Amino acid sequence: MSPLPAFYADWPRPPAALVAARLDEPPGGARVTVAGLVILRQRPGTAKGVIFLTLEDETGVVNIVVWRNMYERFRRAVISGRLLRVTGRVQREAGVVHVVAEEIEDVSSLLDRLLDPDCPLPREGETG
């Protein structure tokens, strides 16, 4: 994959996350990690317990599908997280790209560190 354009390179973000603008690059079924601010949580009554999240990063939005078993496992992050890192499988359907969540991590604590250039972001798996 090509490097991030220069105008995004300096944007502080959780490490090891694919930006929304590049989500069309991995093939369907590929395991990816994305991160962004939670801008929408939906739990439609007709969705049989499925929750839909929309994350936004500096390049666009990412649609996340959270199945009931994943919701139960990561409930706190799904309900209260402001900045999430989600790892899951790319799903393409009718021209729409989703990430079907397998792991959800609340990394909201990183928001306080975005303006501090002397504070390095943690590596993947660390919550700092």
Side-chain angles (χ1 to χ4, degrees):
M1 289 193 222
S2 61
L4 197 59
F7 53 91
Y8 293 135
D10 293 331
W11 187 273
R13 56 180 298 103
L18 185 66
V19 294
R22 294 182 58 198
L23 201 52
D24 61 340
E25 294 177 22
R31 193 164 195 255
V32 297
T33 297
V34 294
L37 294 170
V38 179
I39 60 170
L40 182 67
R41 290 178 179 89
Q42 291 181 311
R43 189 174 192 171
T46 58
K48 300 179 183 165
V50 177
I51 294 178
F52 300 99
L53 303 174
T54 302
L55 306 183
E56 183 175 32
D57 67 15
E58 67 277 15
T59 70
V61 296
V62 179
N63 300 307
I64 307 292
V65 177
V66 182
W67 292 105
R68 183 186 309 249
N69 62 332
M70 289 294 110
Y71 172 69
E72 291 169 4
R73 185 172 169 200
F74 299 105
R75 180 183 177 103
R76 175 169 272 178
V78 171
I79 290 173
S80 64
R82 296 179 296 141
L83 178 65
L84 296 179
R85 178 170 37 207
V86 178
T87 299
R89 302 282 174 181
V90 173
Q91 179 184 62
R92 290 190 174 82
E93 196 168 309
V96 178
V97 178
H98 293 87
V99 174
V100 179
E102 295 175 349
E103 296 177 39
I104 303 169
E105 182 182 1
D106 183 355
V107 291
S108 300
S109 63
L110 295 178
L111 290 171
D112 295 333
R113 299 165 63 179
L114 288 178
L115 297 177
D116 184 356
D118 298 324
C119 190
L121 291 173
R123 298 177 195 270
E124 186 174 359
E126 299 176 348
T127 55

